[in-house]
Amino acid sequence: SHAIRVGIAGYGNLGRGAVAALARCPDMRLAGVFTRRAPASLRLPDPATPVLPLNDAAAHRHDIDVMILCGGSKDDLPVQGPELAQWFTTVDSYDTHARIPRYFEAVDAAARAHGNLSIIAVGWDPGLFSISRLVGEAILPDGATYTFWGKGLSQGHSDAIRRVAGVRAGVQYTIPVPEAIERVRAGERPALSTREKHRRECYVVLEPGADPRQVEQAIVTMPDYFADYDTQVHIIDEATLAREHAGMPHGGFVIRSGRTGASENQAMEFSLKLGSNPAFTSSVLVAYARAAWRMKSAGETGARTVFDVAPGLLSPQSPEMLRKALL
Ligand code: NDP
């Protein structure tokens, strides 16, 4: 059996991460990167990697076993997901939680009509965190589930502070409140307000002449984004921003706190500490690309989520090896 031939659609943070993740998987091979931009404008780590126009992707359907969709959830995937599911077995990291059912339907229809298989909403949240929540609720029905995020860079909140008048550049970190996590771990099952679960920290570079007090007020009172949280604003210079805030760390905790039998406290916890959110998310996508190829090879068609994928399918090892090594 040949190495699984993988295509990458879209070359942003996730696309770059997928190239790096594939290099660590000997059973898979990067067959090409597809982009909407001029192919010659992209710089790949290996200059021999074919870079092709996304518009021509269908012509390469016999050269690609699985296409990893690395477009943005807001504008790219709603179009690219159903479109590419016509031609390829796909995996994607669609993460607009409220719209997942609708997106699933669109991809499912396209994949089914053309005999392909697509795993949607892969990553860590949605993704690995979703699996942890499901397992916790199935095993401890008398309980409560808590998700804490961070410490992590939030793209949406960083964009929001950059839109404030007087702000030249900035980043926002979401930080879980340690006291809240401790209460949950102790089995208290507390009712926690938004403010009690997370706080927000902003690092902001001002436009020349901007009033720091005014900028801070505009940020901390911003409805939806900051008003319901304790928010700290730190004014820094451009060099500090470039030096200390260029990474994209993230992570978090899913905790299921429940009771069994004669009301013993039981806690299940899954946590991630990510040096790079996109590089990790791409690594999850690559493992699910392997599973997608196996499911498609077994004759499955239509859309799936992480809930439908057996864990053994993620591993490069055979079921026999897994029983010996990991059970
Ligand atoms: P990017 O903005 O980096 O890339 C999105 C697309 O934009 C790319 O596919 C690329 O398409 C285009 N693009 C990238 N860089 C440039 C550029 N310099 N100029 C013009 N176009 C560019 O997004 P990310 O890779 O960071 O994230 C993609 C999605 O992943 C996010 O929207 C998010 O929803 C999801 N995600 C999901 C997670 C999960 O846990 N489920 C976790 C993290 C992210 P093209 O090459 O065709 O131009």
Side-chain angles (χ1 to χ4, degrees):
S1 67
H2 67 82
I4 303 169
R5 299 167 302 172
V6 179
I8 293 173
Y11 196 63
N13 297 310
L14 249 46
R16 282 191 295 276
V19 170
L22 284 169
R24 288 182 161 85
C25 298
D27 63 324
M28 307 175 98
R29 179 167 77 74
L30 174 57
V33 170
F34 295 85
T35 182
R36 291 164 296 184
R37 284 167 285 165
S41 70
L42 302 194
R43 290 280 161 273
L44 276 286
D46 177 358
T49 304
V51 182
L52 304 154
L54 185 61
N55 269 336
D56 297 348
H60 299 272
R61 63 187 179 278
H62 301 298
D63 315 322
I64 306 281
D65 295 318
V66 187
M67 188 73 99
I68 302 182
L69 311 193
C70 295
S73 291
K74 191 165 169 290
D75 300 316
D76 303 339
L77 292 176
V79 179
Q80 293 172 358
E83 170 80 24
L84 293 169
Q86 297 181 79
W87 311 114
F88 300 99
T89 292
T90 69
V91 292
D92 70 56
S93 67
Y94 187 75
D95 74 349
T96 311
H97 293 253
R99 295 188 190 196
I100 286 174
R102 195 192 307 173
Y103 181 70
F104 180 94
E105 294 303 330
V107 174
D108 187 55
R112 235 172 248 291
H114 294 84
N116 287 319
L117 180 106
S118 296
I119 311 177
I120 68 150
V122 170
W124 60 278
D125 197 359
L128 303 181
F129 274 20
S130 321
I131 295 172
S132 304
R133 288 188 282 258
L134 182 153
V135 171
E137 291 181 14
I139 293 172
L140 298 172
D142 174 10
T145 302
Y146 297 83
T147 304
F148 295 91
W149 292 275
K151 177 184 178 177
L153 183 87
S154 158
Q155 216 59 67
H157 288 79
S158 298
D159 290 343
I161 58 177
R162 287 183 211 118
R163 288 194 293 265
V164 170
V167 172
R168 161 171 295 191
V171 293
Q172 192 270 179
Y173 298 99
T174 306
I175 299 170
V177 175
E179 294 76 15
I181 297 182
E182 283 320 312
R183 289 178 63 193
V184 171
R185 282 181 179 147
E188 262 186 58
R189 277 205 238 169
L192 296 167
S193 67
T194 300
R195 190 179 299 275
E196 287 172 314
K197 286 184 74 185
H198 298 95
R199 60 186 185 83
R200 301 196 176 278
E201 218 166 286
C202 306
Y203 292 84
V204 172
V205 180
L206 296 178
E207 294 285 8
D211 174 2
R213 291 266 138 252
Q214 226 168 324
V215 167
E216 181 179 348
Q217 268 312 301
I219 293 174
V220 301
T221 59
M222 195 187 298
D224 301 329
Y225 287 91
F226 295 103
D228 300 333
Y229 297 86
D230 291 329
T231 302
Q232 268 180 301
V233 179
H234 307 277
I235 307 293
I236 57 172
D237 58 31
E238 210 125 13
T240 308
L241 184 76
R243 194 176 58 243
E244 292 172 16
H245 303 283
M248 294 191 214
H250 221 311
F253 307 78
V254 174
I255 306 174
R256 180 71 178 176
S257 167
R259 302 222 169 91
T260 55
S263 93
E264 307 90 349
N265 274 339
Q266 315 277 17
M268 298 171 66
E269 180 167 339
F270 179 75
S271 81
L272 293 173
K273 291 170 200 66
L274 309 178
S276 163
N277 174 7
F280 181 79
T281 302
S282 314
S283 301
V284 181
L285 279 165
V286 165
Y288 276 85
R290 181 183 289 123
W293 174 238
R294 288 177 174 163
M295 292 162 79
K296 154 83 180 179
S297 302
E300 293 192 44
T301 64
R304 300 288 189 277
T305 71
V306 293
F307 295 153
D308 308 309
V309 180
L313 296 175
L314 301 173
S315 171
Q317 309 270 13
S318 68
E320 296 73 24
M321 283 299 297
L322 289 175
R323 285 193 289 273
K324 243 195 279 183
L326 299 179
L327 284 180

